[in-house]
Amino acid sequence: MSYCKQEGKDRVIFVTEEDHNGPTEVSLPQDDETPAGLIQPDGDINWACPCLGGMATGPCGVEFREAFTCFHYSTADPKGSDCLEPFRQMSDCMAQYPNVYGNKEDKEEENAELAKEMSTNGEQTEQVSVKA
Amino acid sequence: MGVTASCRRRDAASDTETDSQQQQHERRMSGVGDEIEAVICKEEDLPQDGMKSFEMGEGKVLVVHHKGQLSAIGTKCSHYGAPLEKGTLCEGHVRCPWHGACFNVTTGDIEDFPGLDSVPKYDIHVAEGQVRVRASKALLATEKRTKEMAKRDPQNSTALVVIGGGAAGASCVERLRQEGFTGQVVMITQEPHLPYDRPKLSKAMHLTPDKIALRTNQFYEDGDIEILMGVSASKVNTDEKSITLSTGEKVTYDKLFIATGGKPRKLGIPGGDLAGVFVVRTPEDANAVAADAAGKHVVVVGTSFIGMEAAAYLATDNRAGSVSVIGNTTVPFERSLGSGVGNRIQRLFEEHQVKFYNNVGVKEFTEEDGKLKGVVLESGETVAADIVVLGVGVVPNTDFLASSNIPRDDRGFVPVNEFLETSIPGVYCGGDVASFPLMLEDGNRVNIGHWQVALGHGRTAALNMLGHTSPLASVPFFWTVLFGKSLRYTGYGKYDDIILGGDLESLSFIAYYCHGDRVVALASLGKDPAAANYAEMLHQGKFLTKAEVTADGEMALKIKCY
């Protein structure tokens, strides 16, 4: 017969071979705890949600939260159309930190420029002469 | 409001086009010999006033709608290929956001440098709501257009001689031919190379001269441009109109352009002649440093552009064992860019393990067994060094003019007027050795050592030597690349205050250099096209005020063409 013994802080379970073989008959309680999503049970925004991509923190975290909160509670039609000002401020802030909120196109351009600075002038043979 | 169409002959293929607006027809191309023609967009897709690029076949075209005129040119700058669409459009030209090159939007001709070639120009035509462009296939592919050069006519004995194979010299000789000159064109250069892209020497020290040549040998042959390499001019006689070369030979001229450039300063201190002490002037210097630096202690003396670019190059990808920098100011670029910007740049370098010794001079170089071993600072401290790179300034290479009657000022620069002519008729001078009137300084003479200015001087000198009186009119523009970050600078002048816009910390800023109430110069990083915008504004003789930029640090990004 399997039994369980509490030894101080430890709970020790002795399982018979018979009980150990075969699948368990224990059923776990329904897990009400689904992983925290964007909206908390009380309706508030979960700023730690991975879906926000970290935008709620960082140099423009405050601006982001204000814009997003406005949008979330907006009842205008279309939704969020009354939030232009906080979004504009967020956008202005992010423009100041391209290294953080990198525009992919800008980065590509930066790389292209650097490549040209460090490489051969090449293409000389390809020049096409046309009457001026 | 209609769009003016450029005049072009109707093509048989396009006559068969019905006006059905089906998608399948929109991109139909008809090839006519070496040209292709295609519909690139609908009329309503055209920018109202501005530039937009469209795909066409295997390439792209830049459509410009400016001052009611529609035109189509190449999309890439002829210098390093930057997207012109992101530049500044004003007064009939587009200014490149990276380094300030300027192209006419109607003809694609290059108007201000760097870059030597123009961009292609294509025919554009709007009909039935569709926008059609006709382009040469070859031009569409290379996106560069080199102007045709005249050939030598043996009957024309006029000789135009250029001393110097740098930016000014290179730009001058080809411009002479592109303007149709058929007499003799001679370039005398002391280096054993064809003219090359000098700004790359300190940024990519491993590049050999053939890899960065501005033009091929074939190019100069096609243009009947004689290049005397590896000889220098030792004397000029303006009465005889002759130049004596280092070989003893004489070259006679009808008109002369002196563009001998700068000579790097060396420190006249003990040990200064040791083999491990380098300047960065020629590709040989740069290549030698690059080849030898692995695993070695490199000490850079000088915290301005040459020194810092070399240090950044060597401190990347373990090209050197260690990099230390010695400067006699508190932070790098203190005088040119100010201590705020200088300090932030120093920290960028320190993040890459570069060690700084500021506010100190160098007393001597020590050696062991004839090899460089260390650098002794005036503070008494010794810094271990296997290689020293000196970036401590430059003096004009004009000693050979001492015996001539071509005047020089007390620092050795040659004064010229706005046509680049010296006080001796027929003798012109440009580039780093000239002291020339600058529009921005109300016509006062200055000396500027920017690659872009020198290229412009070559062009202006050529025009004036051919009698097409053409005054100087460009705005100084230069750039530096440090650890992949391109800092762009335009303008000129002493400043008494600096206003910073953007965020210095994140290396995304604009620095406005003010003299009194005027912003005389601007430096930007990560804020394109601020520098191109401001270069354009300065070109028009206008300035931002200190008050305007203090109120809005992003002002340079917002200025529009007037």
Side-chain angles (χ1 to χ4, degrees), chain B residues 6 74 87-88 110 152 183 206 261 267 280 297 322-323 348 351 371 383 422 452 512 518 522 539:
Chain B
S6 64
T88 311
I110 186 163
R152 175 82 208 277
H206 57 284
L267 296 176
V280 182
H297 293 298
S322 77
V323 180
L348 171 66
E351 281 160 31
K371 272 184 63 170
V383 181
T422 65
Q452 169 254 359
Y512 302 89
R518 237 187 216 193
L522 174 155
H539 180 77

Side-chain angles (χ1 to χ4, degrees), chain B residues 93-104:
Chain B
H93 50 237
V94 55
R95 202 172 278 268
C96 179
W98 286 4
H99 312 123
C102 204
F103 302 91
N104 183 296

Side-chain angles (χ1 to χ4, degrees), chain B residues 437-444 472-475 538-541 543:
Chain B
L438 186 65
M439 177 181 65
L440 294 178
E441 284 280 305
D442 300 320
N444 286 322
L472 285 168
S474 72
V475 174
L538 291 173
H539 180 77
Q540 291 177 44
F543 295 86

Side-chain angles (χ1 to χ4, degrees), chain B residues 165-177:
Chain B
S171 155
C172 184
V173 294
E174 65 174 72
R175 192 54 186 245
L176 287 172
R177 283 286 185 240

Side-chain angles (χ1 to χ4, degrees), chain A residues 99 109 117 119 121 124 127, chain B residues 86 200 213 215 479 506:
Chain A
N99 290 340
E109 217 177 278
E117 289 282 357
S119 68
N121 278 32
Q124 309 293 19
Q127 276 154 5
Chain B
K86 303 257 175 97
K200 287 194 172 174
R215 298 294 196 194
W479 75 98
S506 66

Side-chain angles (χ1 to χ4, degrees), chain B residues 186-467:
Chain B
V186 182
M187 174 198 276
I188 300 167
T189 170
Q190 70 184 17
E191 288 194 67
H193 311 299
L194 292 174
Y196 53 85
D197 198 351
R198 185 178 302 285
K200 287 194 172 174
L201 286 188
S202 44
K203 299 173 179 76
M205 299 176 84
H206 57 284
L207 292 176
T208 48
D210 53 301
K211 296 214 167 65
I212 51 175
L214 294 174
R215 298 294 196 194
T216 59
N217 222 342
Q218 190 61 49
F219 176 91
Y220 291 111
E221 273 183 36
D222 289 345
D224 289 328
I225 297 170
E226 295 167 49
I227 305 192
L228 306 176
M229 285 191 273
V231 293
S232 56
S234 49
K235 252 183 21 194
V236 176
N237 186 320
T238 58
D239 296 318
E240 278 178 20
K241 288 193 167 176
S242 78
I243 304 154
T244 308
L245 301 178
S246 49
T247 53
E249 285 170 71
K250 277 196 178 174
V251 176
T252 51
Y253 65 84
D254 287 290
K255 291 198 181 159
L256 177 64
F257 181 49
I258 299 167
T260 45
K263 203 167 51 177
R265 271 207 194 101
K266 290 196 174 190
L267 296 176
I269 55 177
D273 291 322
L274 286 167
V277 178
F278 294 88
V279 287
V280 182
R281 177 62 185 171
T282 65
E284 283 73 25
D285 298 328
N287 294 165
V289 172
D292 205 29
K296 303 269 174 67
H297 293 298
V298 178
V299 174
V300 173
V301 181
T303 49
S304 191
F305 300 97
I306 299 291
M308 295 294 276
E309 284 180 357
Y313 171 80
L314 293 166
T316 305
D317 291 342
N318 285 319
R319 293 191 179 110
S322 77
V323 180
S324 307
V325 177
I326 302 170
N328 60 6
T329 49
T330 313
V331 287
F333 304 118
E334 195 174 79
R335 292 181 207 112
S336 51
L337 302 176
S339 41
V341 174
N343 178 284
R344 178 63 187 91
I345 294 177
Q346 174 165 332
R347 278 186 289 121
L348 171 66
F349 275 66
E350 285 167 338
E351 281 160 31
H352 285 85
Q353 279 83 53
V354 175
K355 189 155 180 343
F356 281 81
Y357 298 84
N358 288 316
N359 277 329
V360 76
V362 173
K363 212 162 66 165
E364 70 175 287
F365 299 114
T366 58
E367 55 143 321
E368 191 175 83
D369 297 330
K371 272 184 63 170
L372 176 68
K373 188 155 147 64
V375 179
V376 182
L377 308 179
E378 273 161 7
S379 57
E381 195 179 348
T382 300
V383 181
D386 301 306
I387 297 176
V388 161
V389 177
L390 293 176
V392 295
V394 92
V395 292
N397 196 3
T398 53
D399 290 342
F400 72 104
L401 295 176
S403 60
S404 74
N405 59 354
I406 298 166
R408 293 179 295 159
D409 67 21
D410 51 17
R411 288 185 302 149
F413 297 106
V414 178
V416 294
N417 61 19
E418 74 265 40
F419 305 106
L420 289 179
E421 200 170 14
T422 65
S423 55
I424 316 269
V427 177
Y428 298 78
C429 179
D432 292 8
V433 289
S435 173
F436 63 95
L438 186 65
M439 177 181 65
L440 294 178
E441 284 280 305
D442 300 320
N444 286 322
R445 284 206 179 101
V446 301
N447 165 260
I448 299 183
H450 301 341
W451 182 250
Q452 169 254 359
V453 170
L455 287 172
H457 281 186
R459 184 267 308 268
T460 301
L463 291 173
N464 286 304
M465 284 161 90
L466 294 175

Side-chain angles (χ1 to χ4, degrees), chain A residues 95-99 105 109-110 113-114 116-121 124 126-132, chain B residues 80 86 98-99 117 142 146 148 197 200 203 207 211 213-216 479 481 486 488 503 506 508:
Chain A
Q96 302 239 12
Y97 300 94
N99 290 340
E105 205 184 85
E109 217 177 278
E110 200 180 277
E113 188 183 348
L114 181 57
K116 269 298 179 168
E117 289 282 357
M118 306 291 284
S119 68
T120 67
N121 278 32
Q124 309 293 19
E126 296 283 26
Q127 276 154 5
V128 180
S129 285
V130 176
K131 263 212 157 51
Chain B
Y80 287 176
K86 303 257 175 97
W98 286 4
H99 312 123
D117 290 321
T142 64
T146 309
E148 205 177 286
D197 198 351
K200 287 194 172 174
K203 299 173 179 76
L207 292 176
K211 296 214 167 65
L214 294 174
R215 298 294 196 194
T216 59
W479 75 98
V481 182
S486 291
R488 319 193 196 286
D503 181 50
S506 66
S508 172

